[in-house]
Amino acid sequence: MSKTAVIALGGNAFTREGQSGSAKEQETNALAMAHTVAAVRANGWNIVLVHGNGPQIGNLAIQQEEGAALVPPQPLFVLDAMTQGEIGSLISLAMCSVAPDVRMAALVTHVVVSPDDPAFAKPTKPIGPFFRRDQAARLASERGWDIVEDAGRGFRRVVASPRPVRVVETAAIRALSSSGIVAVAGGGGGVPVVPDDGGLRGVDAVIDKDYVAETLATELSAEALILVTGVPYVMLDFGRPNQRALHEVDLPDLETYQREGHFPAGSMGPKVHAATQFLRAGGEVAVITTPDLASVTLGDASGSEEPRDESALGTRIVVSHRNEQVRP
């Protein structure tokens, strides 16, 4: 049976910095992502795709508010579902162009969160476009938005981002994947829901897609987790004269670097945390790298690839080279 890799694509991969988020821009960017997915699949992996939605849901929220005089605006969790359809369609159509033999299925996915998650009281997830300081101050006043400065690039709206507890549709996703179908699931971190009178109800939030990818990968017993990002590898002492890249690294070593504070919460921290959680739960390998390096860094599903030049790879995290038992 083929091994399974869960690949997490950022919403910024579909609306890149400096772009407006037009349909044409997103279609072009989706084609680039499809080549990444096709390359991993060509190496023998079953694929489950998770994607972010930060730019898209922020833009959609603005459209809702601007059109409120004509039609009722929808809550944020409904917009999460809308972006799942939007980006799921983009990915599916792009894959049809790049690899027409690959069967695709985009699944609206719900993710249970805790109603008591402290994230609801402290919004941290940036969504939508960047604003100038004066624009941000006006929008915060007029619309009651929480707005923060984002990495010196401008100001963005932030919303609650609770941690995922479980993915509701895991069994359906497993059935699709085991049939060789590439499932697009957990899009935008999933539609956040909480238990309510024996059922579920939506709550306004945007869950981090890397944490959802890790949760889904663990629930599927996937062997690999690929976190696609804008930099080729994880760095130690980033921004300092002695900064250095991590290529192949053991989980115990990576956790040591974590404790030493090498991966700040506002940058690489969530990806490293998701990777370590996945491996601790029984995963075999996690990869953090750019789209063009994802396939070669992960390698062949059979594990029979030839020795590779580490300097030309992204970051590949393995459980241990030292016969050390780290799994539960």
Side-chain angles (χ1 to χ4, degrees), residues 151 208 210 229 231 235 238 261-272:
D208 186 281
D210 291 327
T229 185
V231 294
M235 303 285 288
F238 178 71
H262 285 277
F263 315 120
S267 57
M268 193 59 72
K271 287 181 170 52
V272 170

Side-chain angles (χ1 to χ4, degrees), residues 146-186:
D146 292 291
I147 294 183
V148 300
E149 188 173 11
D150 187 349
R153 297 175 293 176
F155 293 80
R156 295 179 78 186
R157 181 186 180 187
V158 290
V159 298
S161 187
R163 292 290 181 91
V165 175
R166 66 178 178 88
V167 178
V168 176
E169 289 82 8
T170 295
I173 297 164
R174 181 183 294 109
L176 290 168
S177 180
S178 63
S179 298
I181 297 170
V182 175
V184 184

Side-chain angles (χ1 to χ4, degrees), residues 14-315:
F14 300 94
T15 299
R16 297 178 182 173
E17 188 173 350
Q19 294 185 334
S20 65
S22 70
K24 188 62 178 177
E25 288 172 342
Q26 294 191 83
E27 288 172 8
T28 300
N29 295 336
L31 283 171
M33 293 301 102
H35 282 287
T36 296
V37 176
V40 174
R41 193 172 185 279
N43 278 340
W45 295 89
N46 278 342
I47 302 295
V48 174
L49 282 176
V50 175
H51 62 79
N53 69 347
Q56 295 80 15
I57 195 169
N59 290 353
L60 189 55
I62 291 172
Q63 291 176 350
Q64 295 289 310
E65 295 193 10
E66 292 294 328
L70 298 175
V71 294
Q74 301 300 307
L76 194 61
F77 70 87
V78 173
L79 305 191
D80 282 316
M82 291 180 180
T83 60
Q84 286 193 26
E86 172 195 6
I87 301 175
S89 174
L90 280 170
I91 295 171
S92 297
L93 292 175
M95 284 297 295
C96 285
S97 297
V98 170
D101 61 316
V102 175
R103 294 178 295 163
M104 301 289 299
L107 183 68
V108 174
T109 311
H110 302 82
V111 176
V112 175
V113 299
S114 169
D116 300 321
D117 193 304
F120 285 110
K122 187 178 180 181
T124 58
K125 176 67 175 176
I127 64 171
F130 290 90
F131 299 105
R132 300 189 310 270
R133 183 183 295 273
D134 60 323
Q135 292 175 310
R138 176 175 57 81
L139 290 166
S141 175
E142 293 177 355
R143 302 185 178 182
W145 288 358
D146 292 291
I147 294 183
V148 300
E149 188 173 11
D150 187 349
R153 297 175 293 176
F155 293 80
R156 295 179 78 186
R157 181 186 180 187
V158 290
V159 298
S161 187
R163 292 290 181 91
V165 175
R166 66 178 178 88
V167 178
V168 176
E169 289 82 8
T170 295
I173 297 164
R174 181 183 294 109
L176 290 168
S177 180
S178 63
S179 298
I181 297 170
V182 175
V184 184
V191 178
V193 295
V194 295
D196 183 59
D197 291 334
L200 298 168
R201 63 175 173 86
V203 290
D204 283 347
V206 177
I207 308 170
D208 186 281
K209 61 99 179 36
D210 291 327
Y211 289 137
V212 169
E214 179 274 316
T215 299
L216 182 56
T218 297
E219 292 179 350
L220 293 172
S221 299
E223 286 78 12
L225 174 65
I226 305 176
L227 304 174
V228 176
T229 185
V231 294
Y233 29 66
V234 178
M235 303 285 288
L236 298 179
D237 294 309
F238 178 71
R240 300 176 182 175
N242 62 332
Q243 72 176 17
R244 55 207 184 277
L246 289 176
H247 293 291
E248 182 139 330
V249 58
D250 290 336
L251 173 60
D253 290 340
L254 188 69
E255 290 179 321
T256 297
Y257 300 141
Q258 260 186 311
R259 290 190 293 270
E260 292 172 350
H262 285 277
F263 315 120
S267 57
M268 193 59 72
K271 287 181 170 52
V272 170
H273 183 72
T276 58
Q277 289 289 103
F278 169 67
L279 295 175
R280 281 284 168 190
E284 294 180 4
V285 58
V287 167
I288 303 175
T289 192
T290 52
D292 56 313
L293 293 178
S295 177
V296 66
T297 302
L298 177 61
D300 194 287
S302 68
S304 61
E305 70 270 13
E306 295 296 320
R308 300 166 296 167
D309 178 8
E310 283 194 357
S311 65
L313 303 178
T315 297

